Amino acid sequence: MPYSDQDRIIALAGLHQAAHCVLRIANRGSVDIDQMAPCLYSLFQIDADDVPAVFGEPGAVATGARQIIAQLTGQPERNIEMTRYVITLLKHERTLAGRGDMLAAIGEGIEAAREARGDAPLIDREVIARFASLYSATISKLEPRIIVRGNPLYLQNEENQERIRALLLAGIRSAILWRQCGGRRMQILLGRRKLLDAARAYLSATASAQQPS
């Protein structure tokens, strides 16, 4: 099926939102659940009807879209650590494309997590722990390894470690989706105006949809 600029920006926003949540946990020890939940939700959406449905409700990755705008414009500021996470996750997506064995293992792990979840909420500790374990068994083996920097006090916390690993797995999910939508690295390097316009259009549509009727 043909994909639009909006499909690509939503996928890329999902990647940036996952990276943003990782940064928040690493540096502040907490994260907005409404920002984290769509990232985890996307891991369960293997056969979604369309790209927006991968992340749930309309505007689910608005935070990620704002991060894209900030990275492109420097307003309010660019974040070098976020750039590093995004670039590394995109590199891992390319490596995974040639690793059918690892992709199969990830797919099996997600299916097992889906079956084990039952009616548990997305942010349930056990759900997150399963995704964290899956990340450790697969993506963490790829080079270059993703080194998360932040406050040691927060990074040494086991629950924070699990949340970070689950979010990095969600970042890979978004990177794969972005590639499936026709996203390419050169679009980030050379098509910044188009990305910026698409991100702003997404936020504008989100604001319109959330206005009371």
Side-chain angles (χ1 to χ4, degrees):
M1 62 176 291
Y3 293 102
S4 67
D5 289 339
Q6 276 297 288
D7 289 330
R8 282 184 284 276
I9 207 64
I10 288 170
L12 194 60
L15 174 53
H16 280 74
Q17 188 152 313
H20 170 76
C21 289
V22 168
L23 284 165
R24 294 281 296 193
I25 295 169
N27 291 287
R28 303 190 184 187
S30 63
V31 65
D32 187 327
I33 297 304
D34 289 339
Q35 296 173 2
M36 182 176 175
C39 302
L40 300 179
Y41 181 85
S42 72
L43 288 167
F44 289 111
Q45 308 310 307
I46 305 302
D47 297 312
D49 292 336
D50 52 33
V51 174
V54 170
F55 298 99
E57 297 296 324
V61 290
T63 294
R66 293 188 190 98
Q67 297 307 311
I68 291 173
I69 293 171
Q71 293 296 90
L72 293 176
T73 66
Q75 299 296 326
E77 63 180 358
R78 295 185 178 90
N79 188 303
I80 300 302
E81 282 295 288
M82 174 172 292
T83 298
R84 186 171 63 84
Y85 293 147
V86 168
I87 289 174
T88 305
L89 287 167
L90 289 172
K91 286 181 178 178
H92 283 350
E93 182 278 329
R94 286 291 75 208
T95 301
L96 274 175
R99 289 290 305 272
D101 58 330
M102 189 172 286
L103 282 171
I106 292 171
E108 291 168 4
I110 289 174
E111 184 57 36
R114 185 207 304 273
E115 294 177 0
R117 176 190 172 193
D119 296 327
L122 282 169
I123 58 172
D124 182 80
R125 176 77 183 271
E126 288 302 314
V127 174
I128 293 173
R130 282 183 173 275
F131 284 139
S133 178
L134 179 57
Y135 173 86
S136 295
T138 55
I139 306 301
S140 71
K141 309 297 184 185
L142 300 177
E143 296 291 343
R145 296 191 66 181
I146 300 176
I147 306 300
V148 175
R149 301 186 178 98
N151 188 317
L153 178 65
Y154 303 137
L155 292 175
Q156 290 166 6
N157 179 280
E158 183 178 359
E159 185 172 1
N160 284 341
Q161 292 173 5
E162 291 173 347
R163 292 192 292 177
I164 286 171
R165 290 174 184 140
L167 284 162
L168 290 174
L169 184 65
I172 286 289
R173 164 69 171 113
S174 291
I176 292 173
L177 179 63
W178 183 69
R179 176 70 63 164
Q180 290 172 337
C181 291
R184 299 294 182 267
R185 189 177 179 186
M186 292 304 293
Q187 294 171 1
I188 298 177
L189 297 175
L190 302 177
R192 296 191 168 201
R193 171 54 59 183
K194 200 169 189 179
L195 289 174
L196 189 58
D197 289 345
R200 286 171 170 161
Y202 174 75
L203 291 177
S204 178
T206 296
S208 297
Q210 292 175 347
Q211 288 181 353
S213 56

